[in-house]
Amino acid sequence: MFDRDRWLEILQVVLRNPVRAVLSGLGVSWGIFMLIITIGSTNGLQNGIKADMSNRAENSMFLWTMRTSMAHKGYKKGRRFELDNSDVRYLKQNVTTIETVSPRIQLGGYRGSNNVVRGVNTGAFNIYGDTPAYINIEPIDLYNGRYLNQADLDKERKICVIGQRCYEVLFPDGEDAVGEYIRINGVSFMVVGVYKSYRTGEDAEESTQSIFVPLTTFQKAFHYGDEIGWLSILIKDGMNADVASNEVVSVLKERKSVHPDDPRAFGHWSMAEEIEEMDQIFTGFDYVSVVFGGLVLLAGVIGIVNIMLITVKERTKEIGIRRGIGATPMAVIGQIVAETVFLTVTAGFAGMIIGVGALEAVSALLASSGDAGSFRNPEIDALSVLLILLIMIIMGAFAGLLPASRAVSIKPVDALRAE
């Protein structure tokens, strides 16, 4: 129950030496502040990375070929081999764990960029051969025109979909790009769509420096035959990513005469695996944040314990008088513990308010800057704040036990004699 006299006495004790009270609580304030900042920063990094990964389907998988590391069926190790159109059809017919296979190829290979010209305007952009299914794996914001369709592939149409950055460079006057022609390495393509990225900032600009061409047209126009660069795969809903990856790789190893135990013939990764790894990393970050902040908070509480021990020594005579007129040991313990909890929680609240305010300020600054990169919306949830508050109360109560036990260990007669 609320005891008005007890709380008035607590305030009197604190205000009797305000400088000492502030200094004793500074360690706790700093500990809470650091705990909130580290947790909020971890959440901000997590929000940024997940936002960057959100433009791809969570059940997507990507696979490419590398050199073999084991001899098999007369082939020496170190053999290079490529994927082709027939492999795509074979996977669709023989793998049960996948929903969609979208082959891709890039002009110039990985990170290749090529000259694109329209009139006097020119730029170096990424050129991809794609199928209509790829938009389900990596969605884009198609704000003008259309995307690739099956008829484009069947009829090998010389059409393309360009990114917003490509549009800004090739159409600087802002005219409608749809229906206009551009030249890619000397081959003319008609623009049928313009897209934006769902990413933000520099990531968005990077992703919109791309041009998508029907795969069959790409292979014919740029003399790639039926070769493809890599596979973008959509795994069936509810299917384990590891199971699907193993099935796809096993089927391709058999088809391409690769040793079943060769670990390096195919490279692959899935969004599910990436998300799982990210979750594990951020769980580790959370533990580090809690331990780090907890140690700083513990150092602050130890400082309060020391101050309370000094306070008890200064109030020896007062405690003796209190005991002499009938105060029980539990009453004295309760008073000292209450004072310690008050100091701890008050200092903790100050650190909490400053910490949350700092996170909100950083979040607002990042939002106003327009490009937060991989660090966005640093925050701390209400449950974590309540948990921190509970920890503060518990630590304050335990911190008060040592000076309280010191207070009741003094005999009233000896306390009255104290100067």
Side-chain angles (χ1 to χ4, degrees):
M1 299 297 290
F2 180 78
D3 188 335
R4 181 173 177 272
D5 292 336
R6 169 175 287 185
W7 287 104
L8 285 175
E9 184 176 349
I10 290 173
L11 289 174
Q12 288 173 356
V13 170
V14 173
L15 295 176
R16 189 183 302 163
N17 197 333
V19 175
R20 186 167 66 188
V22 170
L23 293 177
S24 65
L26 190 60
V28 173
S29 297
W30 180 251
I32 294 296
F33 173 79
M34 291 303 299
L35 186 58
I36 288 177
I37 291 298
T38 50
I39 292 175
S41 298
T42 299
N43 290 337
L45 185 60
Q46 187 172 5
N47 291 338
I49 292 178
K50 285 190 174 180
D52 290 340
M53 296 172 68
S54 64
N55 67 308
R56 288 194 179 101
E58 290 189 7
N59 58 335
S60 58
M61 168 188 170
F62 304 87
L63 179 143
W64 59 97
T65 63
M66 300 193 297
R67 291 184 182 274
T68 60
S69 61
M70 300 176 69
H72 188 60
K73 291 185 177 180
Y75 292 104
K76 296 180 179 180
K77 70 176 183 178
R79 171 173 63 100
R80 283 208 59 95
F81 60 99
E82 304 295 339
L83 297 170
D84 55 45
N85 295 336
S86 65
D87 295 322
V88 177
R89 295 189 293 269
Y90 189 80
L91 284 177
K92 291 179 179 179
Q93 296 169 358
N94 294 277
V95 178
T96 60
T97 55
I98 60 176
E99 181 178 326
T100 300
V101 181
S102 179
R104 299 197 86 190
I105 192 168
Q106 183 175 6
L107 194 59
Y110 178 63
R111 291 190 178 276
S113 58
N114 293 266
N115 287 334
V116 181
V117 179
R118 177 183 175 266
V120 297
N121 302 309
T122 183
F125 304 115
N126 301 315
I127 315 299
Y128 295 100
D130 274 314
T131 66
Y134 188 71
I135 198 171
N136 298 318
I137 298 172
E138 187 170 355
I140 56 175
D141 180 9
L142 194 68
Y143 70 93
N144 188 18
R146 67 174 179 85
Y147 192 62
L148 310 177
N149 60 39
Q150 189 59 43
D152 296 331
L153 267 71
D154 296 339
K155 297 180 181 181
E156 300 178 357
R157 292 170 176 165
K158 290 184 178 180
I159 58 95
C160 64
V161 178
I162 66 175
Q164 185 178 23
R165 180 58 184 161
C166 303
Y167 169 76
E168 293 170 353
V169 172
L170 300 175
F171 299 85
D173 297 329
E175 62 267 45
D176 189 359
V178 174
E180 298 294 324
Y181 284 85
I182 62 175
R183 284 183 291 118
I184 303 173
N185 281 13
V187 182
S188 294
F189 291 84
M190 185 177 73
V191 178
V192 297
V194 185
Y195 74 92
K196 295 179 181 178
S197 173
Y198 285 118
R199 302 179 184 180
T200 59
E202 293 181 0
D203 293 335
E205 184 173 342
E206 175 67 25
S207 67
T208 55
Q209 296 190 79
S210 299
I211 297 176
F212 306 139
V213 174
L215 179 69
T216 51
T217 308
F218 183 105
Q219 291 172 326
K220 187 173 183 179
F222 301 117
H223 312 294
Y224 276 77
D226 65 348
E227 179 186 329
I228 59 177
W230 68 94
L231 299 177
S232 302
I233 300 171
L234 204 60
I235 300 170
K236 287 184 178 179
D237 289 337
M239 188 63 61
N240 182 275
D242 291 335
V243 173
S245 300
N246 290 335
E247 183 181 12
V248 171
V249 172
S250 296
V251 168
L252 286 177
K253 281 182 176 179
E254 181 179 358
R255 178 171 171 80
K256 293 296 185 178
S257 299
V258 174
H259 195 287
D261 298 326
D262 193 330
R264 301 187 62 181
F266 291 95
H268 61 88
W269 66 276
S270 70
M271 283 298 296
E273 293 172 350
E274 290 294 306
I275 291 173
E276 184 178 349
E277 288 180 6
M278 286 297 103
D279 287 341
Q280 292 175 352
I281 291 172
F282 284 118
T283 298
F285 282 171
D286 289 338
Y287 284 131
V288 171
S289 300
V290 171
V291 171
F292 173 70
L295 290 175
V296 177
L297 180 58
L298 179 60
V301 171
I302 291 173
I304 287 184
V305 171
N306 290 331
I307 293 297
M308 290 304 299
L309 286 171
I310 295 172
T311 301
V312 167
K313 185 175 182 180
E314 291 177 348
R315 297 164 61 191
T316 299
K317 193 167 186 177
E318 173 195 329
I319 294 170
I321 294 173
R322 191 187 294 267
R323 293 287 305 278
I325 62 176
T328 64
M330 287 305 299
V332 175
I333 291 174
Q335 182 67 28
I336 301 299
V337 169
E339 292 174 10
T340 310
V341 170
F342 177 80
L343 277 174
T344 304
V345 173
T346 302
F349 262 120
M352 186 180 296
I353 292 171
I354 296 172
V356 172
L359 289 180
E360 290 296 326
V362 171
S363 183
L365 181 63
L366 291 175
S368 64
S369 67
D371 180 17
S374 294
F375 186 82
R376 304 175 191 176
N377 190 26
E379 59 186 356
I380 184 169
D381 58 275
L383 181 60
S384 296
V385 172
L386 292 175
L387 183 59
I388 292 172
L389 178 59
L390 178 61
I391 292 172
M392 281 194 302
I393 295 173
I394 294 173
M395 292 184 75
F398 275 103
L401 291 178
L402 180 59
S405 63
R406 176 71 176 273
V408 297
S409 67
I410 303 173
K411 296 179 180 180
V413 175
D414 295 334
L416 292 171
R417 292 174 181 167
E419 293 295 332

